[in-house]
Amino acid sequence: MHEKERHTIILSAVEERPVVTVTDLCNMTGASEATIRRDIATLDQEKLLRRVRGGAEALTPPQFVGLAGRPFSVNETMRIEDKQAIAAAAVDLCEDGDAIIINGGTTTFQMVHPLASRRMQVFTNSFPIAEHLLKHSKNTVMLSGGTIYREQNIILSPFDNDVTRNFCARRMFMGAQGLGPLGLMEADPLLIQAEQKLIGQADELVVLVDSSKFEQRSSLVLCPLARISTVITDDNISDKAAAMLDAAEVKLIVAPRGSAQKAVAS
């Protein structure tokens, strides 16, 4: 990741939360602690943030605390061809008439393009996904209720009595911050609470992650590997990661880069 991209992520993070730690920023960018500390020092000198012990804070504290993790607008531009191929393979699992849940994220967002020609019942907590499907498809679309988080473009509710409990799906499709031996990982407790409710409404959980996510870790586990039915990733997945999924009896689908375009062409 280039320095400019890291600086964009760091500045966005400090605008969302009172204090962002070096560890948080390492997880968001994939950079080393030494690199992040240099970035913070540079941005502090430029008077774009304030360096504090163990991290950084905004010059003006945020009025609304957002979610941990990179903003949708930043993630959207990263590894786009891998995400398109992974999303196309995910839609190939579906049949017209299926009821599915699509969790908000930049990889799951890429499902909207192959879904344009399909007819399914789609429940989502993502504004971009719902908007695109309403404009460009004939799928039935349902949105969850709750608080809108602008940076991630998702709607989350901590309450048990929301509309989520009334929708039952054959499959749920979601991404994650990381995937390892302990399971699926995310960075924010509220995100985990809301996503666990969605997972409970689906027969199968299909995880869409590019191969870099097998190297990333977080302090919070969303669900164990045993709950995952299928993982779809790109062809850069390591033998170690593939063996981990095989040992957990998780089905692995590898979507080579460019396969989404080939599917559209055919």
Side-chain angles (χ1 to χ4, degrees):
M1 183 181 294
H2 296 299
E3 180 182 77
K4 185 177 180 180
E5 291 178 305
R6 293 198 310 273
H7 287 187
T8 299
I9 292 169
I10 292 169
L11 291 172
S12 178
V14 298
E15 289 300 325
E16 293 172 18
R17 283 172 280 167
V19 177
V20 184
T21 68
V22 171
T23 301
D24 288 339
L25 294 171
C26 288
N27 289 332
M28 291 181 197
T29 61
S32 67
E33 286 193 11
T35 298
I36 292 299
R37 291 185 190 279
R38 286 197 299 270
D39 288 339
I40 290 174
T42 298
L43 294 170
D44 179 78
Q45 290 175 355
E46 295 175 357
K47 299 188 183 306
L48 296 174
L49 52 70
R50 185 181 295 108
R51 181 169 54 173
V52 298
R53 183 178 178 85
E57 65 180 7
L59 297 177
T60 303
Q63 299 299 309
F64 177 80
V65 179
L67 298 172
R70 284 195 294 250
F72 185 94
S73 57
V74 174
N75 269 336
E76 189 177 19
T77 61
M78 302 173 67
R79 303 185 67 131
I80 186 66
E81 290 185 15
D82 290 334
K83 292 177 180 179
Q84 290 171 340
I86 291 167
V91 175
D92 283 344
L93 296 176
C94 303
E95 299 177 3
D96 284 354
D98 280 354
I100 62 173
I101 298 171
I102 306 179
N103 193 56
T106 55
T107 305
T108 51
F109 174 74
Q110 292 300 325
M111 292 177 66
V112 299
H113 305 295
L115 277 173
S117 60
R118 309 296 291 274
R119 287 176 177 263
M120 282 180 269
Q121 301 174 61
V122 180
F123 184 96
T124 185
N125 59 2
S126 165
F127 266 128
I129 290 174
E131 181 182 30
H132 195 282
L133 292 179
L134 285 170
K135 288 181 177 179
H136 303 288
S137 82
K138 294 186 177 180
N139 294 281
T140 300
V141 181
M142 291 181 63
L143 269 170
S144 61
T147 302
I148 301 166
Y149 290 83
R150 290 181 178 86
E151 289 293 319
Q152 281 78 19
N153 278 328
I154 56 175
I155 310 165
L156 300 179
S157 170
F159 305 111
D160 286 331
N161 59 345
D162 59 27
V163 69
T164 302
R165 299 299 188 192
N166 298 319
F167 191 87
C168 295
R170 181 177 181 184
R171 293 186 181 91
M172 175 175 172
F173 298 90
M174 69 180 301
Q177 178 169 322
L179 182 58
L182 292 178
L184 208 57
M185 290 170 281
E186 277 294 354
D188 193 280
L190 179 59
L191 199 61
I192 285 181
Q193 185 178 2
E195 289 176 342
Q196 284 176 339
K197 284 194 303 179
L198 289 172
I199 291 172
Q201 300 304 111
D203 295 333
E204 299 178 19
L205 178 60
V206 182
V207 176
L208 284 60
V209 288
D210 65 68
S211 54
S212 70
K213 298 298 179 69
F214 292 97
E215 307 302 323
Q216 298 181 26
R217 296 291 181 267
S218 175
S219 58
L220 301 175
V221 177
L222 171 61
C223 72
L225 285 178
R227 179 62 181 89
I228 302 172
S229 304
T230 304
V231 168
I232 308 176
T233 189
D234 58 76
D235 51 6
N236 285 320
I237 182 174
S238 67
D239 292 340
K240 180 181 177 181
M244 175 189 72
L245 297 176
D246 183 61
E249 298 183 345
V250 176
K251 181 180 179 182
L252 172 63
I253 297 176
V254 174
R257 178 179 293 193
S259 57
Q261 287 79 3
K262 291 177 183 177
V264 172
S266 62

